[in-house]
Amino acid sequence: MFKSIGICSVCLKDMPIFQPNRRIFLEMPDIDCRKNPPFLIILVTSCRDQIKTRMAIRETWGKERVVTDKRIVTFFLLGSPSHYQDGFTIMMESLLYKDIIQKDFLDTFYNLTLKTLMGLEWVHTFCPQSSFVMKTDSDMFVNPLYLMELLLKRNRTTRFFTGALTMQAHPVRDPRSKWYVSKEEYPWNKYPPCCSGAAYVFSTDVASRMHIISKKIPFFKLENIFVGLCLSHLRIKMEALHSEPVFFVGRIEFSPCRYRRLVTSHFITSVEMLLFWHGLEKSIDEECP
Ligand SMILES: *[C@@H]1O[C@H](CO)[C@@H](O)[C@H](O)[C@H]1NC(C)=O
Ligand SMILES: *[C@@H]1O[C@H](CO)[C@@H](O)[C@H](O)[C@H]1NC(C)=O
């Protein structure tokens, strides 16, 4: 669908070259939160090449929906591709779907912290009227309806943070590892307790609190650890959303009854998102044991 917009070389020549300016958003969603604030904003880290996945998310769990007066919206977090022609493609996609939050930083694994901070800054600046925020990845299956149901049941509105708790981890000191961290970057032997970066959910005031405190905390390249550092400075503890686990950081095999009662399942392809979502919708009236 998206490919049908012809991109002409004339337009490309006239494109402004992006000036590096971290304060300015290159792309933003078209939403006025003062008028009609969403209950839940789902922020999905994504990158330029994942257009197929973004399309699948838009058609399935990320589709904007209103359930009992409460609105759920999904936006994608992107950095800047190194080639400005790719920047143009993202501009066109943003114009069409109005669901992209983008700033000018290089889109790399070690800039994931910047990507998440950009999402927090956007919520803090443009949508503090929302109630909850979820941060997740583009290879996740999310059941936003069950998440909303549990958030309403939990009835917490401030200083609330939940997700998949991880064991307190130690920094990896082997330079060959993807998670290598030098003593200069992090001198201590233990990380703060936190969550898997794959999916976590918090009340919107926590987005503002983290955005503000993040300026006082030394930058750390591992995103979930940085979030953990922010939370320990804020003295906010992770809490369970439900008496049973609902955030899965591994892959859960699909069955309608299983997926009705989970919030996330990991390592899901765009084709599977469509299959699973339609499977869920089709079985809506079926009884589960
Ligand atoms: C993160 O983005 C900045 C700004 O574009 C860039 O200078 C830096 O090299 C990036 N860092 C990494 C680790 O990729
Ligand atoms: C939610 O909590 C508030 C107080 O924090 C209480 O007044 C209200 O009755 C609760 N609502 C539900 C549905 O439990």
Coordinates of all heavy atoms in Angstrom, one line a residue, residues 13-50:
K13 N 15.9 15.8 -4.4 CA 16.9 16.9 -4.5 C 16.6 18.1 -3.7 O 17.4 18.8 -3.1 CB 17.1 17.3 -6.0 CG 18.3 16.7 -6.6 CD 18.7 17.4 -7.9 CE 17.7 18.2 -8.6 NZ 17.7 17.9 -10.1
D14 N 15.2 18.3 -3.5 CA 14.8 19.5 -2.8 C 14.7 19.3 -1.3 O 14.3 20.2 -0.6 CB 13.4 19.9 -3.3 CG 13.5 20.3 -4.8 OD1 14.6 20.8 -5.2 OD2 12.5 20.2 -5.5
M15 N 15.0 18.0 -0.9 CA 14.8 17.7 0.5 C 15.9 18.5 1.4 O 17.0 18.6 1.0 CB 15.1 16.3 0.8 CG 13.9 15.4 0.4 SD 12.7 15.5 1.7 CE 13.7 14.9 3.1
P16 N 15.4 19.1 2.5 CA 16.4 19.7 3.3 C 17.3 18.6 4.0 O 16.8 17.5 4.3 CB 15.6 20.4 4.4 CG 14.3 19.7 4.4 CD 14.1 19.1 3.1
I17 N 18.5 19.0 4.2 CA 19.4 18.0 4.9 C 19.1 18.2 6.4 O 19.0 19.3 6.9 CB 20.9 18.4 4.7 CG1 21.1 18.5 3.2 CG2 21.8 17.4 5.4 CD1 21.7 17.4 2.5
F18 N 18.9 17.1 7.1 CA 18.6 17.2 8.5 C 19.7 17.8 9.3 O 20.9 17.3 9.2 CB 18.2 15.8 9.1 CG 17.0 15.2 8.5 CD1 17.0 13.9 8.0 CD2 15.9 16.0 8.3 CE1 15.9 13.4 7.4 CE2 14.7 15.5 7.7 CZ 14.8 14.2 7.3
Q19 N 19.4 18.8 10.1 CA 20.4 19.3 11.0 C 20.4 18.6 12.3 O 19.3 18.4 12.8 CB 20.1 20.8 11.3 CG 20.2 21.7 10.0 CD 21.6 21.8 9.5 OE1 22.6 21.8 10.2 NE2 21.7 21.8 8.1
P20 N 21.5 18.2 12.9 CA 21.4 17.5 14.1 C 20.9 18.4 15.2 O 21.5 19.4 15.5 CB 22.8 17.0 14.4 CG 23.7 17.6 13.4 CD 22.8 18.3 12.4
N21 N 19.8 18.1 15.8 CA 19.3 18.9 16.9 C 18.4 18.0 17.7 O 17.3 17.7 17.3 CB 18.5 20.1 16.3 CG 18.0 21.0 17.5 OD1 18.0 20.6 18.7 ND2 17.5 22.2 17.2
R22 N 18.9 17.6 18.8 CA 18.2 16.6 19.6 C 16.9 17.1 20.2 O 16.1 16.3 20.7 CB 19.1 16.2 20.8 CG 20.3 15.4 20.3 CD 20.9 14.6 21.4 NE 22.0 13.9 20.9 CZ 22.8 13.2 21.7 NH1 22.6 13.1 22.9 NH2 23.8 12.6 21.2
R23 N 16.7 18.4 20.3 CA 15.6 18.9 20.9 C 14.3 18.9 20.0 O 13.2 19.0 20.5 CB 15.8 20.3 21.4 CG 16.9 20.4 22.5 CD 17.1 21.9 22.8 NE 15.8 22.5 23.3 CZ 15.3 22.4 24.5 NH1 16.0 21.7 25.4 NH2 14.2 23.0 24.8
I24 N 14.6 18.7 18.7 CA 13.5 18.9 17.8 C 13.0 17.5 17.3 O 13.8 16.7 16.9 CB 13.9 19.8 16.6 CG1 14.1 21.2 17.2 CG2 12.9 19.7 15.5 CD1 14.5 22.2 16.2
F25 N 11.7 17.3 17.3 CA 11.2 16.1 16.8 C 11.1 16.2 15.3 O 10.5 17.2 14.8 CB 9.8 15.8 17.4 CG 9.8 15.4 18.8 CD1 9.7 16.3 19.8 CD2 9.9 14.0 19.1 CE1 9.8 15.9 21.2 CE2 9.9 13.6 20.4 CZ 9.9 14.6 21.5
L26 N 11.5 15.2 14.6 CA 11.4 15.3 13.1 C 10.0 14.9 12.7 O 9.4 15.5 11.8 CB 12.4 14.3 12.5 CG 13.9 14.6 12.7 CD1 14.8 13.5 12.1 CD2 14.3 16.0 12.2
E27 N 9.5 13.9 13.3 CA 8.1 13.4 13.0 C 7.4 13.3 14.4 O 7.9 12.9 15.4 CB 8.1 12.1 12.3 CG 8.8 12.1 10.9 CD 8.2 13.1 9.9 OE1 7.0 13.4 10.1 OE2 8.9 13.6 9.1
M28 N 6.1 13.6 14.3 CA 5.2 13.4 15.5 C 3.9 13.0 15.0 O 3.4 13.3 14.0 CB 5.1 14.8 16.2 CG 6.3 15.2 16.9 SD 5.9 16.3 18.2 CE 5.4 17.8 17.3
P29 N 3.2 12.2 15.9 CA 1.8 11.8 15.6 C 0.8 12.9 15.6 O 1.1 14.0 16.2 CB 1.4 10.8 16.6 CG 2.5 10.8 17.6 CD 3.6 11.7 17.2
D30 N -0.2 12.8 14.9 CA -1.3 13.8 14.7 C -2.3 13.5 15.8 O -3.3 12.8 15.6 CB -1.9 13.7 13.3 CG -2.8 14.8 13.1 OD1 -2.8 15.8 13.8 OD2 -3.6 14.7 12.1
I31 N -2.1 14.1 17.0 CA -3.1 13.8 18.1 C -3.1 15.0 19.0 O -2.0 15.6 19.3 CB -2.7 12.5 18.8 CG1 -3.7 12.2 19.9 CG2 -1.3 12.6 19.4 CD1 -3.5 10.8 20.6
D32 N -4.3 15.4 19.4 CA -4.4 16.5 20.4 C -4.9 15.9 21.7 O -6.1 15.7 21.8 CB -5.4 17.6 19.8 CG -5.4 18.8 20.8 OD1 -4.8 18.7 21.9 OD2 -6.0 19.8 20.4
C33 N -4.0 15.7 22.6 CA -4.3 15.0 23.8 C -5.1 15.9 24.8 O -5.7 15.4 25.7 CB -3.0 14.5 24.5 SG -2.3 13.2 23.6
R34 N -5.1 17.2 24.5 CA -5.9 18.1 25.4 C -7.4 17.8 25.2 O -8.3 18.0 26.1 CB -5.6 19.6 25.1 CG -4.2 19.9 25.6 CD -3.8 21.3 25.0 NE -3.9 21.2 23.6 CZ -3.6 22.2 22.8 NH1 -3.3 23.4 23.3 NH2 -3.8 22.1 21.5
K35 N -7.7 17.5 23.9 CA -9.2 17.3 23.6 C -9.7 15.9 23.9 O -10.7 15.7 24.4 CB -9.3 17.6 22.1 CG -9.4 19.1 21.8 CD -9.9 19.3 20.4 CE -9.6 20.7 19.9 NZ -9.0 20.7 18.6
N36 N -8.9 14.9 23.5 CA -9.4 13.6 23.6 C -8.2 12.6 24.0 O -7.7 11.9 23.2 CB -9.9 13.2 22.2 CG -10.6 11.9 22.2 OD1 -10.8 11.3 23.2 ND2 -10.9 11.3 21.0
P37 N -7.8 12.7 25.3 CA -6.6 12.0 25.7 C -6.8 10.5 25.7 O -7.9 10.0 26.1 CB -6.4 12.5 27.1 CG -7.7 13.0 27.6 CD -8.4 13.5 26.4
P38 N -5.8 9.8 25.1 CA -5.9 8.3 25.2 C -5.8 7.8 26.6 O -5.1 8.4 27.4 CB -4.8 7.8 24.3 CG -3.9 9.0 24.2 CD -4.6 10.2 24.5
F39 N -6.4 6.6 26.8 CA -6.2 5.9 28.1 C -4.8 5.3 28.1 O -4.0 5.4 29.1 CB -7.2 4.9 28.3 CG -7.0 4.0 29.5 CD1 -7.4 4.4 30.7 CD2 -6.5 2.7 29.3 CE1 -7.2 3.6 31.9 CE2 -6.4 1.9 30.5 CZ -6.7 2.3 31.7
L40 N -4.4 4.7 27.0 CA -3.1 4.0 26.9 C -2.4 4.3 25.6 O -3.0 4.3 24.5 CB -3.4 2.5 27.0 CG -2.3 1.5 26.7 CD1 -1.2 1.6 27.8 CD2 -2.8 0.1 26.6
I41 N -1.1 4.7 25.7 CA -0.3 4.9 24.6 C 0.7 3.8 24.5 O 1.4 3.6 25.5 CB 0.5 6.3 24.7 CG1 -0.5 7.4 24.9 CG2 1.4 6.5 23.5 CD1 0.3 8.7 25.2
I42 N 0.7 3.1 23.4 CA 1.7 2.0 23.2 C 2.8 2.5 22.3 O 2.6 3.0 21.2 CB 1.1 0.7 22.6 CG1 -0.1 0.3 23.5 CG2 2.1 -0.4 22.5 CD1 -0.8 -0.9 22.9
L43 N 4.0 2.6 22.9 CA 5.2 3.0 22.1 C 6.0 1.8 21.7 O 6.4 1.0 22.5 CB 6.1 4.0 23.0 CG 5.4 5.2 23.5 CD1 6.3 6.0 24.5 CD2 5.0 6.2 22.4
V44 N 6.2 1.7 20.4 CA 6.9 0.5 19.8 C 8.2 1.0 19.2 O 8.2 1.8 18.3 CB 6.1 -0.1 18.7 CG1 6.7 -1.4 18.3 CG2 4.6 -0.4 19.2
T45 N 9.3 0.4 19.7 CA 10.6 0.8 19.1 C 10.7 0.1 17.8 O 10.4 -1.1 17.7 CB 11.8 0.3 20.0 OG1 11.6 -1.0 20.4 CG2 11.9 1.2 21.2
S46 N 11.1 0.8 16.8 CA 11.1 0.3 15.4 C 12.3 0.9 14.7 O 12.9 1.8 15.2 CB 9.8 0.6 14.7 OG 9.7 0.0 13.5
C47 N 12.6 0.4 13.5 CA 13.6 1.0 12.7 C 13.1 1.0 11.2 O 12.1 0.3 10.9 CB 15.0 0.5 12.9 SG 15.1 -1.2 12.7
R48 N 13.8 1.8 10.4 CA 13.4 2.1 9.1 C 12.9 0.8 8.3 O 11.9 0.8 7.6 CB 14.6 2.7 8.4 CG 14.3 3.1 6.9 CD 15.6 3.2 6.2 NE 16.4 2.0 6.4 CZ 17.2 1.5 5.5 NH1 17.3 2.0 4.3 NH2 17.8 0.3 5.7
D49 N 13.7 -0.2 8.3 CA 13.4 -1.4 7.5 C 12.2 -2.2 7.9 O 11.8 -3.0 7.1 CB 14.6 -2.4 7.5 CG 15.8 -1.8 6.9 OD1 15.7 -0.8 6.1 OD2 17.0 -2.2 7.2
Q50 N 11.6 -1.9 9.0 CA 10.6 -2.8 9.5 C 9.2 -2.3 9.1 O 8.2 -2.4 9.8 CB 10.6 -2.8 11.0 CG 11.9 -3.5 11.5 CD 12.0 -3.4 13.0 OE1 11.6 -2.5 13.6 NE2 12.7 -4.4 13.6

